[in-house]
Amino acid sequence: MKKVTTENMKVVLVAIFFLAVVVILLVPGESKEAVKGPKVTDKVFFDIKIGDEEIGRIVIGLFGKTVPKTVKNFVELAKKHETEKTEGKLVGYKGSKFHRVIQGFMIQGGDFTRGDGTGGESIYGAKFEDENFKLKHYGAGWLSMANAGKNTNGSQFFITTAKTPWLDGRHVIFGKVLEGMKVVRMIETTKKGANDKPVQDVVVLDSGVLPVESPFAVAKEDAEE
């Protein structure tokens, strides 16, 4: 009987050891890293069309705790068509185009007044100041404000398709692609003409806001493809 008890004890100890190992392995490294990253407080979607083909949806997480003013501008412009009479003109991102695309760098859009990169406006007026530069251009899939120099933010933005550290401290990062990097890549590789303008119009067919039950962090790395 004593021998059986000893063997049972060995089995129990071995089982406890392996259980502890399994628990450690189940703690994902990604979530540990993500905890150190910015927190998503809001989500916006863009449904995209190239020419006559609907190619899918991009979902972007926005960092409202880090850059609240910049995020509010983007959120309001994404849903402004729902609350304001358009009277035949664009009032926000719905219907606007990605007017400038550079492979290996970024895709740029948000100019809903002129459509060529010379227009656009914020909800605060024509331009508003750089909120802060706490976040960097960590890799592909990060959302940043386009500008014409210091404190000239309007409605134009770009999504990186590679790491762009030379833009750190010059452009305000305020979001990251959560879903739809495949769509971003399709835009990135579409045929371009003069001034990096897509030959076929790349249009935001629809835009809007998605619910976020509770804020969550994202890792400071490339968006998932």
Side-chain angles (χ1 to χ4, degrees):
M1 291 293 295
K2 186 176 180 180
K3 183 178 181 181
V4 173
T5 301
T6 302
E7 290 299 321
N8 286 345
M9 184 60 71
K10 289 181 179 178
V11 170
V12 170
L13 290 173
V14 170
I16 291 173
F17 171 77
F18 280 107
L19 181 60
V21 170
V22 168
V23 170
I24 292 171
L25 291 176
L26 285 177
V27 177
E30 172 64 22
S31 61
K32 286 182 178 179
E33 174 65 24
V35 170
K36 299 177 183 178
K39 286 190 175 182
V40 170
T41 57
D42 303 83
K43 289 196 292 188
V44 159
F45 73 86
F46 289 154
D47 290 333
I48 304 296
K49 180 175 75 170
I50 298 180
D52 295 323
E53 182 183 1
E54 296 180 22
I55 63 169
R57 170 172 288 192
I58 302 171
V59 177
I60 305 169
L62 306 172
F63 311 133
K65 290 187 177 181
T66 308
V67 275
K69 186 171 184 178
T70 308
V71 166
K72 183 179 180 181
N73 181 63
F74 194 78
V75 168
E76 293 301 319
L77 290 175
K79 64 179 184 178
K80 199 172 182 183
H81 60 278
E82 299 173 356
T83 58
E84 185 172 316
K85 292 182 179 180
T86 62
E87 297 179 353
K89 67 176 183 178
L90 301 184
V91 295
Y93 293 139
K94 182 178 180 178
S96 66
K97 302 174 184 178
F98 281 86
H99 62 271
R100 184 172 177 237
V101 174
I102 302 177
Q103 191 164 357
F105 180 20
M106 60 89 207
I107 61 174
Q108 183 174 340
D111 180 358
F112 61 86
T113 61
R114 295 184 180 176
D116 59 4
T118 63
E121 59 188 29
S122 79
I123 63 171
Y124 310 112
K127 307 294 180 185
F128 68 102
E129 71 279 2
D130 298 320
E131 191 165 6
N132 64 59
F133 299 110
K134 292 179 180 179
L135 301 174
K136 302 182 185 302
H137 299 74
Y138 300 106
W142 288 81
L143 177 68
S144 188
M145 289 299 293
N147 61 44
K150 186 176 180 181
N151 298 322
T152 59
N153 301 286
S155 57
Q156 291 190 50
F157 62 86
F158 61 92
I159 299 172
T160 60
T161 58
K163 191 173 183 178
T164 55
W166 61 90
L167 300 180
D168 296 344
R170 297 168 57 193
H171 295 265
V172 178
I173 282 281
F174 63 104
K176 183 181 181 181
V177 173
L178 303 177
E179 302 172 30
M181 272 304 291
K182 180 180 179 180
V183 178
V184 172
R185 295 299 185 191
M186 291 175 73
I187 298 172
E188 179 190 22
T189 55
T190 194
K191 187 176 181 181
K192 275 80 68 179
N195 300 317
D196 303 307
K197 180 182 178 181
V199 172
Q200 291 185 300
D201 286 342
V202 180
V203 179
V204 178
L205 192 61
D206 195 11
S207 65
V209 177
L210 298 173
V212 176
E213 292 184 5
S214 60
F216 61 93
V218 293
K220 296 177 180 179
E221 58 187 28
D222 290 338
E224 290 187 13
E225 298 285 346

